[in-house]
Amino acid sequence: MPVQLICASHSPLMLTDVEESENGVHAQFFRELDECAKALREFDPELVVVFGPDHFNGFFYELMPMFCVGTAAQGSKDWHLEAGPLKVPRQTALDCVRFLHQHDFDVALSHEMKVDHGITIPLYKLTGALNRYNVLPIFINCAADPRPSFRRVRTFGTTIGEFFAERHPDMRITFLGSGGLSHDPPTPRLEMSPPDVAQRLIKRQNPTQEELDVREARVVRAARDLVVGKGPCLPPDEQWDHDFLKSFVDGTLEDFDNMSDAEIDRLAGFGAHEVRTWVAAAAAAKAMGSLKNELKYYHLVPEWITGMGIVVGQAYGRA
């Protein structure tokens, strides 16, 4: 059976009523996402492996891993998403962690991972629920500097693909990459934050719904300001997105090995670091067979702060 790959931008602003800056763009994105959901249902995966970031809702600077695999996970309530448990196959998760350790990845392990919209949005939009399918949640640090290099992310994804190719060669697997493309949300940066905000980035906490609403209203205001050409967010960069997508669709993931965080910050924005999740997901799929990718959607959506993209792929047979 083939391996399925779906990589998609997530913007929590697509869950709001923020005004559309170009007629029909939102509907087109959701139509393509619905087509991906239909393809996933038809594929009927035995396991969904989702590579996602976090936005200082589950992982904090008090102990920030570069990679973490969850043996159990709970969705958070950010952006008024329904919280609840993911259906994680514990033994598979443990076996994957042990395999990674044996192959020189000292990946972190969580028996109670908290996942925010970076993982819950694709699960809701592509599967309809947090627990409809067996899900293996894999966190990649994309927001907290310093981050893992793109070469390390690629080889991490490759090793996960090798685990499934070796231990579960006949399992139907959907790999999801959630994040990107270019976007510059008003996420606090530790070195630029006042002491009270810095503490929120460092110390693990459970914000109230009121606190979440205040933070999220600030993002909506920033999005509306971006549409009319105001700061603080850097606008998404169409050329950067196209350059990334060309190499990504072509499958030349090594092209990203030397991409620097400084370059991403300058051209594509703070949130674009999330394309690490795409690279890891594609590397995992590629390790399981000959991978063929297709760009299904791309458009700048300034009111969502983001260059929105969807790439799908299938891998057949061992590479």
Side-chain angles (χ1 to χ4, degrees), residues 18-241:
V18 64
E19 301 81 5
E20 191 172 35
S21 62
E22 183 179 340
N23 288 338
V25 170
H26 296 182
Q28 183 186 358
F29 175 79
F30 287 127
R31 279 196 301 272
E32 292 296 344
L33 206 58
D34 287 345
E35 286 298 312
C36 290
K38 179 182 176 183
L40 188 149
R41 289 193 302 271
E42 291 174 350
F43 182 65
D44 192 24
E46 298 168 85
L47 180 67
V48 175
V49 180
V50 55
F51 295 87
D54 178 74
H55 307 81
F56 294 103
N57 290 307
F59 292 88
F60 299 86
Y61 271 116
E62 67 178 9
L63 184 61
M64 180 61 68
M66 295 296 100
F67 307 104
C68 185
V69 174
T71 66
Q74 187 86 13
S76 67
K77 296 181 179 180
D78 60 325
W79 295 93
H80 290 270
L81 288 159
E82 185 178 348
L86 281 61
K87 189 166 70 171
V88 182
R90 185 174 186 275
Q91 191 59 52
T92 300
L94 285 169
D95 291 345
C96 183
V97 168
R98 291 189 176 105
F99 186 92
L100 287 162
H101 289 174
Q102 292 164 6
H103 291 78
D104 300 326
F105 277 95
D106 296 324
V107 63
L109 171 70
S110 174
H111 289 304
E112 192 176 351
M113 184 184 285
K114 183 179 179 183
V115 297
D116 73 356
H117 70 267
I119 284 178
T120 59
I121 283 180
L123 289 178
Y124 275 120
K125 293 298 184 182
L126 293 170
T127 76
L130 295 181
N131 60 0
R132 180 155 295 159
Y133 296 91
N134 283 336
V135 173
L136 180 63
I138 301 177
F139 162 77
I140 297 178
N141 172 31
C142 301
D145 180 64
R147 307 168 188 87
S149 71
F150 275 85
R151 182 189 61 80
R152 190 66 170 163
V153 166
R154 176 178 58 79
T155 55
F156 175 71
T158 297
T159 306
I160 289 174
E162 290 171 346
F163 163 73
F164 285 107
E166 180 179 315
R167 304 290 179 85
H168 302 280
D170 298 321
M171 181 182 286
R172 293 188 308 279
I173 301 173
T174 297
F175 291 106
L176 300 183
S178 172
L181 297 162
S182 64
H183 65 297
D184 190 43
T187 306
R189 281 72 154 171
L190 182 65
E191 67 280 1
M192 300 167 60
S193 297
D196 60 326
V197 176
Q199 275 302 300
R200 181 170 72 78
L201 301 181
I202 295 170
K203 188 174 177 59
R204 180 173 295 274
Q205 58 170 301
N206 290 306
T208 65
Q209 189 61 58
E210 183 179 2
E211 289 170 327
L212 287 172
D213 289 345
V214 168
R215 295 180 202 171
E216 291 158 13
R218 180 168 58 90
V219 178
V220 173
R221 287 195 302 272
R224 289 187 168 124
D225 285 344
L226 178 62
V227 170
V228 297
K230 297 181 182 178
C233 300
L234 188 73
D237 189 297
E238 187 170 11
Q239 186 59 58
W240 190 91
D241 289 344

Side-chain angles (χ1 to χ4, degrees), residues 6-12 14 29 33 118 121-122 125 177-183 241 245 274-275 277-278 297-299 304 306-311:
I6 304 174
C7 294
S9 303
H10 67 251
S11 172
M14 69 195 212
F29 175 79
L33 206 58
I121 283 180
K125 293 298 184 182
S178 172
L181 297 162
S182 64
H183 65 297
D241 289 344
L245 287 167
E274 292 176 351
V275 294
T277 67
W278 289 38
Y297 177 91
Y298 175 75
H299 207 286
W304 291 351
T306 309
M308 300 296 293
I310 301 173
V311 173

